[in-house]
Amino acid sequence: MADAMIWSIGGYAPPHIITNDMLSERMDTNDDWIQTRTGIRERRSAGDDETTASVSSKAAQAALDAADFKANNLDWVVVCTDTPEMWSPATACFVQESIGAQRASAIDLTGGCAGFLQTLQIMSPLAAAGKRLLVIGTELLTHALNWNDRSTAVLFGDGAGAFLLGPSDSGPKGIRVGPGLSQSDGSQSTILGKPYGGTRHPITAKVVEKEETHTIHMEGPKVFKHAVALMSDIGRRVLKEAALNLEQIDWVVPHQANQRIIDAVTRQIGISSSRVFSHVAHFANTGSASIGLAMSDMLEQKLVKPGQRLLSVAFGAGFSWASQLFFVDEVPPSQFIHSTLRA
Ligand code: UT7
């Protein structure tokens, strides 16, 4: 039976950089606190002329161009985001129009920071069955931040990552999507999220007056504890299901939440930090975009080689958490648009 194959990867990080020092001019924080607690040095922020659809389209086009694949051959365009273009229609419809995927069906999925892996798990059987898909994880989280809340405002950034997927038994070789698992616990739904603007807490003049009510809310220490335990656990469960052990894994690709979480997961899983990818220092937490952006950067840095096995783990609002194995048959073409030279 065929698997889903990643034929190419595209990434887009907006050119505008917000450093920790820039944040400290805006709120009571400092570079030392942010780096010590999170490992974050800077994050990207979408410009006034950019939206979730335009940022998604840039990552999507990067993936299409890398593979020299024509958008009108796509069957599906899927955007995973918690910061959509509009309430309705789906952000994916704007992307479909912008990249020229006339024949495709377009839909959005929302799953917090684990959403990209969840979306991949939902859509992979379609790719395995012969459909051609773009799965794009995008977030403009700087648009949803309360700049008066220093405990959340310093953590997040903007960006998008896109996978072009098709069946493994026809078309090019690339990265095979292996076994994966995901799980949710809705009893923790009030700990992390953006509660206002939906039907439970509609936006009213009173809500708009109080900035903190329509931006991201998070109980950081609780999120930290659950994130570490649940990402480590689901990663181990996926390995067990696939009858693999850690020695057979070349890279762990964790959700880029922050370096302390990544380090704690590394210790709990019991793998050397040299085999755990992190670029959180430069891009911060980009939510649904995080795994796609990370893999796009890994390909640009030529860290991924044929024959390698990658284990990804993610955790976020919901709570939802997920883990996914990837098998590198061949290194697929990729394009990571990030506008600056690496430090
Ligand atoms: O995808 C998952 C998304 N979520 C996350 O990645 C966040 C998970 N949580 C965390 O990583 C950590 O909880 C944080 C980094 C958010 C916070 O670290 P912490 O060690 O849990 O700090 P804390 O919330 O317990 O706060 C410690 C102190 C407090 O001051 P007092 O009460 O001890 O005087 C905070 O007010 O640090 C203060 N603080 C800050 N100080 C300077 C909180 N944010 C800042 C800041 N700058 N930006």
Side-chain angles (χ1 to χ4, degrees):
M1 209 184 90
D3 291 317
M5 182 74 88
I6 302 171
W7 285 343
S8 69
I9 296 182
Y12 174 69
H16 181 57
I17 294 176
I18 303 178
T19 63
N20 293 345
D21 286 339
M22 288 158 87
L23 286 179
S24 67
E25 285 165 17
R26 200 167 173 173
M27 66 187 79
D28 182 17
T29 189
N30 55 76
D31 179 51
D32 185 49
W33 190 97
I34 302 171
Q35 283 214 44
T36 308
R37 304 279 176 137
T38 72
I40 296 166
R41 286 159 54 181
E42 58 194 21
R43 68 285 294 141
R44 299 303 180 92
S45 169
D48 292 341
D49 57 340
E50 292 187 297
T51 66
T52 305
S54 71
V55 167
S56 304
S57 300
K58 283 188 178 143
Q61 196 60 56
L64 292 170
D65 290 348
D68 199 17
F69 189 92
K70 299 276 169 292
N72 60 10
N73 290 325
L74 285 169
D75 299 298
W76 283 89
V77 175
V78 185
V79 174
C80 174
T81 187
D82 278 55
T83 49
E85 185 87 355
M86 293 178 186
W87 183 315
S88 177
T91 305
C93 294
F94 297 100
V95 178
Q96 181 222 13
E97 204 273 330
S98 145
I99 62 175
Q102 293 93 344
R103 291 179 41 252
S105 176
I107 192 168
D108 285 3
L109 290 166
T110 299
C113 301
F116 187 73
L117 292 186
Q118 290 175 301
T119 303
L120 210 53
Q121 289 169 9
I122 295 167
M123 301 311 292
S124 286
L126 284 177
K131 302 291 184 193
R132 280 81 54 96
L133 301 86
L134 263 178
V135 173
I136 310 153
T138 307
E139 224 68 83
L140 263 58
L141 287 165
T142 64
H143 290 213
L145 291 175
N146 176 0
W147 295 103
N148 296 317
D149 176 10
R150 62 182 183 172
S151 66
T152 54
V154 304
L155 300 175
F156 297 99
D158 300 339
F163 287 180
L164 174 64
L165 292 159
S168 61
D169 59 356
S170 65
K173 292 266 167 280
I175 300 177
R176 249 179 323 122
V177 181
L181 285 172
S182 55
Q183 198 176 333
S184 299
D185 178 2
S187 72
Q188 308 291 322
S189 58
T190 57
I191 291 175
L192 169 60
K194 182 175 169 291
Y196 281 80
T199 56
R200 183 177 294 198
H201 300 299
I203 293 278
T204 60
K206 212 166 158 191
V207 167
V208 173
E209 256 171 46
K210 292 188 74 191
E211 191 184 359
E212 66 268 24
T213 55
H214 58 280
T215 51
I216 289 177
H217 159 83
M218 181 178 70
E219 296 175 42
K222 279 189 195 161
V223 173
F224 188 100
K225 198 177 83 191
H226 284 90
V228 172
L230 294 171
M231 276 195 279
S232 308
D233 179 63
I234 202 160
R236 283 197 213 100
R237 280 162 53 202
V238 166
L239 283 181
K240 195 168 172 200
E241 280 214 7
L244 290 171
N245 58 50
L246 267 185
E247 286 63 50
Q248 293 168 296
I249 298 300
D250 298 280
W251 283 106
V252 171
V253 187
H255 165 50
Q256 306 287 301
N258 69 53
Q259 194 58 45
R260 259 168 77 218
I261 292 184
I262 293 172
D263 289 344
V265 170
T266 303
R267 282 193 301 274
Q268 280 221 7
I269 290 186
I271 193 166
S272 156
S273 58
S274 63
R275 287 193 279 146
V276 179
F277 179 77
S278 173
H279 66 177
V280 72
H282 298 290
F283 299 102
N285 182 345
T286 57
S288 309
S290 156
I291 301 289
L293 264 188
M295 287 189 46
S296 154
D297 197 1
M298 289 176 79
L299 291 186
E300 183 181 80
Q301 292 189 54
K302 304 202 184 316
L303 299 175
V304 177
K305 314 270 185 236
Q308 287 187 337
R309 299 185 185 96
L310 279 52
L311 176 72
S312 188
V313 288
F315 173 91
F319 292 150
S320 288
W321 59 103
S323 179
Q324 181 63 53
L325 274 164
F326 297 102
F327 302 125
V328 186
D329 288 355
E330 274 176 28
V331 179
S334 68
Q335 196 183 169
F336 182 23
I337 303 166
H338 53 83
S339 318
T340 48
L341 293 171
R342 202 166 288 284

